[in-house]
Amino acid sequence: MKSRLPLRCWAEIDLAALERNLRLIRASLPPHMRYVAVVKADAYGHGLQQVAARLMHAGADLFAVANLAEAASLREIGPGWPILLLSPLLPEEDRYLVEYDLIATVSTSDEVRRFDAVGRAAGRPVTVHLKIDTGMGRAGIWHECAEKLCAEILASPNIKLGGAYTHFAKPDEDPAFTDEQRKRFLKALACCPKLDLSQLFVHADNSAGLDTLEAAGPFNAVRIGLLQFGIVPGRDGLLAHVKTEPTFSFKTRVGIVKKLPLGTGISYGSTHTLRRDSTVAVLTAGYGDGIPRSVSNRASVLVHGIRCPILGRVTMDQTVIDITDIPTMTKVASGDECVIIGRQNGAEITISEFSHAADTIPWETLCSVTKRVPRLYKTVLGV
Ligand SMILES: Cc1ncc(COP(=O)(O)O)c(C=O)c1O
């Protein structure tokens, strides 16, 4: 039998923490709120099927994905589970709505006609959620035009309206604008008097939206991505009441340790020059694994629980760090584990800190961890 090769760079996914997070988030919400688990982009790089299976067990009500391929993969493990497609479909994808029993997002009259035709041909209605653009400027019907689109949906015999939603543009930055978006959404819904909101999923809030969630009114579902992975979006203090735990750690190992003299340039372009005689470690991971080049000379990694700065440019497969300040009795050796994101010996590099160093956001950091990186799952059902 082939033995498993030693790991050079890997991600650890804590599914038990994921389950605890869902339950915590739920407990912080009014009891009637349903939980739409956003698992697009391979469940934010965690692995779609593994994450979705655990969230099904933990009691998610509905899954939201971006596209058909994700929906088909999810359908393999959850026959009958409701799946909402958040992104617009291409016309040649329409027929799969029925084949995979999916819920489509509707933003245009053209989509209403197309989905009605699909339902007619299949002999059963296609379920849709009406998306209203209240200021995101992306998918959705502009809120002032929603009344007409809503009437078209309700008049289509082969379409079943299952929900209505909007998406916030800056919930972590601008509560006043978020409030305005909520008002626009409610006003648009009020213009559709034939809607029975109690029969629909009515949702607006993503993770950051929870801070200003309105328990009153017709909202009865939330769409949670980042927070279920234990990452608090945006500025400090947000969502302080929901103490989730990180589910994702990103690790690599020391390849070699060596001493270099003061004045040596490190890595491509020699963007760092050693200011002292130094001990460096060459790690067995680079941007080919998802350590972005933008953290060159900016982020640190943990070795034996000590922060060690990245020196010079991150390369495709190797990254150099400064371990000069690690006490000599803590001998660093080839094979030692290093933490890019996560905890080690009481120290922590959060995904938010790492993303800040990379001049990006945690969502993108997670999506950038490449296929080369095996995901290892902690599956203990210790909830
Ligand atoms: C339409 C929609 N809803 C919900 C989410 C989840 O957002 P978050 O990860 O901030 O919870 C996203 C994420 O991009 C989204 O595009």
Side-chain angles (χ1 to χ4, degrees):
M1 209 170 76
K2 204 170 91 181
S3 64
R4 205 177 71 178
L5 291 173
L7 296 165
R8 299 172 68 83
C9 178
W10 68 100
E12 288 172 10
I13 315 288
D14 189 341
L15 293 174
L18 176 75
E19 177 158 357
R20 286 193 292 275
N21 289 345
L22 183 146
R23 292 179 193 276
L24 256 168
I25 297 166
R26 252 198 193 294
S28 77
L29 296 170
H32 71 286
M33 283 288 164
R34 283 171 291 181
Y35 191 103
V36 180
V38 180
V39 290
K40 61 200 171 104
D42 203 26
Y44 292 41
H46 285 60
L48 173 60
Q49 292 195 340
Q50 291 84 349
V51 161
R54 196 56 181 253
L55 293 176
M56 285 171 186
H57 174 81
D61 296 294
L62 189 151
F63 286 92
V65 295
N67 61 38
L68 267 183
E70 293 172 352
S73 169
L74 193 48
R75 188 47 86 225
E76 275 177 27
I77 61 157
W81 218 282
I83 302 173
L84 170 66
L85 287 164
L86 294 171
S87 297
L89 281 153
L90 299 170
E92 65 262 40
E93 293 176 325
D94 290 352
R95 65 192 176 93
Y96 295 99
L97 283 175
V98 174
E99 187 171 330
Y100 290 114
D101 188 18
L102 306 175
I103 304 167
T105 288
V106 167
S107 310
T108 67
S109 300
D110 176 51
E111 288 170 323
V112 174
R113 278 190 294 276
R114 278 163 39 195
F115 301 157
D116 189 60
V118 168
R120 192 180 325 115
R124 63 185 165 94
V126 168
T127 304
V128 302
H129 283 199
L130 164 65
K131 179 145 193 199
I132 301 179
D133 180 359
T134 54
M136 174 71 181
R138 195 175 63 174
I141 179 84
W142 183 242
H143 61 102
E144 288 163 322
C145 314
E147 184 180 354
K148 179 171 165 285
L149 188 67
C150 185
E152 285 168 13
I153 294 171
L154 294 177
S156 300
N158 304 297
I159 293 185
K160 179 171 175 268
L161 185 63
Y165 74 105
T166 190
H167 191 49
F168 296 139
K170 35 186 176 170
D172 47 350
E173 292 166 22
D174 190 346
F177 187 65
T178 306
D179 193 45
E180 174 61 23
Q181 285 194 264
R182 275 187 210 284
K183 288 199 179 104
R184 289 176 181 177
F185 181 61
L186 293 177
K187 193 170 165 204
L189 292 180
C191 290
C192 310
K194 285 198 186 142
L195 280 185
D196 181 358
L197 296 179
S198 69
Q199 297 305 307
L200 303 181
F201 272 79
V202 182
H203 45 117
D205 294 275
N206 60 351
S207 298
L210 295 192
D211 240 24
T212 55
L213 178 73
E214 276 192 16
F219 294 102
N220 58 24
V222 292
R223 292 189 311 276
I224 305 299
L226 201 70
L227 191 62
Q228 69 198 351
F229 302 115
I231 306 159
V232 175
R235 61 192 154 78
D236 289 346
L238 202 72
L239 294 168
H241 58 292
V242 192
K243 297 263 175 266
T244 54
E245 312 158 56
T247 55
F248 189 93
S249 309
F250 190 22
K251 299 187 176 175
T252 184
R253 301 176 80 183
V254 172
I256 59 166
V257 173
K258 67 180 190 181
K259 292 191 184 300
L260 287 172
L262 170 142
T264 308
I266 302 292
S267 188
Y268 290 122
S270 306
T271 58
H272 181 85
T273 302
L274 294 180
R275 290 185 284 270
R276 57 181 175 174
D277 291 342
S278 303
T279 310
V280 301
V282 181
L283 308 183
T284 56
Y287 61 76
D289 303 278
I291 306 177
R293 221 165 148 264
S294 51
V295 299
S296 302
N297 291 310
R298 293 184 63 159
S300 295
V301 303
L302 298 173
V303 182
H304 295 266
I306 298 167
R307 280 172 177 265
C308 303
I310 291 175
L311 299 180
R313 288 201 178 127
V314 173
T315 67
M316 189 184 284
D317 317 296
Q318 303 173 49
T319 301
V320 181
I321 59 167
D322 183 2
I323 58 167
T324 315
D325 291 331
I326 296 190
T328 37
M329 71 249 208
T330 325
K331 206 169 166 0
V332 178
S334 179
D336 284 0
E337 184 172 305
C338 310
V339 172
I340 306 160
I341 294 167
R343 296 183 179 137
Q344 193 183 51
N345 300 358
E348 181 174 14
I349 294 178
T350 64
I351 193 161
S352 301
E353 175 192 341
F354 183 82
S355 304
H356 184 71
D359 205 10
T360 185
I361 51 174
W363 294 262
E364 191 183 32
T365 299
L366 286 170
C367 290
S368 304
V369 175
T370 66
K371 274 198 196 139
R372 182 159 90 176
V373 177
R375 271 67 169 170
L376 308 185
Y377 293 94
K378 276 169 82 183
T379 55
V380 190
L381 280 165
V383 180

